[in-house]
């Protein structure tokens, strides 16, 4: 696993583990959470690694084992020690880095692998979304032992679910059914369905500086940008990868205005 901290790349090698997701803490500079799995997630267990930078690279602060592969991780926006992972056994796990014991709570409702989990960035909300191979998205409040709502509509595996950083109660999902979907928690349904690629979509992310702009990455090796004010065609397409794009993050906003509707 590698991270760029203070302009320098730092690496920690963990034998027998393959990284699936990495997220920096919103509270502690340089602290990194990594969700990992044995045997590329096909079999075996998983480990959540909490890493801190030091002079020689990355230092292991804490590790937590789980009995199946861990595919994603997200930090709480309300507590610097708390985070959630999701795994191949269909469950979500709530961890506290200040406590070396096992998970504080386990949420088990999905019937297949959970590949994505995200904690709302709206600090007044304690909401988490998870996306699964069972073709559903579930909404959770970590203080409640069961899901608040289940969203259906995708026709294949859901690979990515992520909250809008701008619009409370709004999240996006990307699926093997080749669509990007925008959901509204208040309406308990889908707002927009975008046939974004002619291939499985493995990842999506919101632009931090525009509430209308998202990016998708797919098995067709392309990245496409979408403006929710005009979704007839992408506002940009980036080519160059030779393998499927499994994860994408959008830090800047290359396009700030959509063209006129056709």
């Amino acid at each position: 696993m590698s991270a760029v901290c203070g302009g320098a790349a730092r690496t920690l090698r963990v034998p027998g583990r393959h990284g699936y997701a990495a997220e920096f803490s919103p509270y502690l500079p340089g602290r990194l959470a990594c969700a990992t799995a044995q045997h590329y997630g096909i079999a075996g267990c998983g480990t959540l690694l909490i890493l801190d930078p030091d002079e020689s690279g990355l230092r292991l602060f804490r590790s937590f084992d789980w009995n199946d592969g861990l595919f994603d991780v997200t930090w709480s926006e309300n507590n610097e020690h708390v985070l959630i992972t999701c795994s191949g056994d269909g469950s979500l796990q709530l961890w506290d880095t200040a406590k070396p014991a096992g998970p504080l709570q386990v949420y088990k409702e999905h019937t297949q692998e959970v590949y994505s989990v995200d904690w709302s960035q709206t600090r007044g909300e304690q909401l988490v979304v998870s996306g699964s191979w069972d073709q559903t998205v579930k909404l959770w409040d970590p203080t409640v032992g069961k899901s608040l709502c289940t969203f259906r509509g995708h026709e294949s595996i859901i690979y990515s679910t992520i909250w809008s950083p701008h619009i409370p109660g709004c999240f996006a999902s990307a699926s093997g059914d080749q669509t990007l979907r925008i959901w509204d928690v208040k309406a308990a349904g889908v707002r927009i369905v975008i046939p974004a690629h002619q291939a499985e979509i493995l990842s999506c992310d919101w632009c931090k500086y525009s509430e209308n702009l998202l990016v998708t990455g797919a098995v067709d090796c392309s990245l496409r940008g979408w403006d929710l004010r005009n979704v007839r065609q992408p506002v940009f397409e980036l080519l160059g990868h030779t393998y499927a794009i499994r994860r994408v993050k959008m830090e800047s906003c290359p396009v700030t205005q959509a063209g006129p509707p056709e």
Side-chain angles (χ1 to χ4, degrees):
M1 291 116 197
S2 299
V4 177
C5 304
R10 305 183 181 189
T11 301
L12 175 71
R13 298 193 181 278
V14 183
R17 294 292 184 272
H18 301 100
Y20 269 86
E23 292 288 339
F24 280 106
S25 166
Y27 289 95
L28 302 175
R31 174 158 291 183
L32 185 68
C34 295
T36 73
Q38 285 183 309
H39 309 299
Y40 299 98
I42 298 172
C45 64
T47 303
L48 170 63
L49 304 171
I50 309 300
L51 308 174
D52 287 329
D54 62 17
E55 295 78 7
S56 60
L58 293 171
R59 173 180 60 86
L60 181 63
F61 169 75
R62 190 91 72 200
S63 67
F64 301 96
D65 290 326
W66 188 244
N67 55 16
D68 211 315
L70 298 179
F71 295 139
D72 202 5
V73 60
T74 183
W75 290 91
S76 167
E77 292 290 335
N78 300 289
N79 188 320
E80 66 183 76
H81 302 293
V82 173
L83 63 174
I84 288 179
T85 53
C86 60
S87 66
D89 62 3
S91 70
L92 281 67
Q93 306 83 31
L94 182 72
W95 310 90
D96 188 332
T97 62
K99 299 178 181 179
L104 302 179
Q105 193 162 351
V106 177
Y107 311 92
K108 181 70 170 70
E109 290 188 23
H110 286 292
T111 57
Q112 296 185 50
E113 292 93 329
V114 185
Y115 213 68
S116 178
V117 63
D118 193 40
W119 206 309
S120 172
Q121 297 182 32
T122 303
R123 293 183 183 273
E125 296 177 342
Q126 279 274 69
L127 297 177
V128 172
V129 286
S130 59
S132 171
W133 288 29
D134 65 12
Q135 304 180 19
T136 69
V137 176
K138 288 185 179 289
L139 177 70
W140 309 83
D141 180 337
T143 63
V144 178
K146 60 182 181 179
S147 65
L148 304 179
C149 184
T150 300
F151 297 86
R152 294 179 172 86
H154 277 296
E155 298 175 0
S156 184
I157 291 168
I158 298 171
Y159 289 107
S160 182
T161 51
I162 188 162
W163 290 102
S164 166
H166 308 281
I167 308 169
C170 176
F171 67 89
S173 61
S175 168
D177 65 11
Q178 306 178 6
T179 66
L180 170 70
R181 300 184 184 225
I182 310 300
W183 305 81
D184 185 353
V185 169
K186 299 178 181 64
V190 66
R191 286 176 50 199
I192 303 172
V193 179
I194 304 171
H197 295 257
Q198 292 183 321
E200 287 190 299
I201 307 172
L202 304 183
S203 185
C204 65
D205 196 23
W206 295 82
C207 177
K208 291 185 177 181
Y209 305 107
S210 172
E211 67 179 36
N212 295 302
L213 190 64
L214 296 94
V215 65
T216 52
V219 170
D220 62 10
C221 308
S222 73
L223 292 165
R224 291 181 177 177
W226 301 95
D227 191 313
L228 299 182
R229 296 166 293 184
N230 179 9
V231 298
R232 294 184 182 182
Q233 60 185 12
V235 292
F236 66 82
E237 183 177 45
L238 302 176
L239 304 173
H241 284 288
T242 54
Y243 291 97
I245 299 170
R246 193 172 66 83
R247 197 165 292 261
V248 61
K249 287 290 185 181
M250 193 172 190
E251 295 299 323
S252 61
C253 183
V255 178
T256 58
Q257 184 174 354
E262 296 178 354

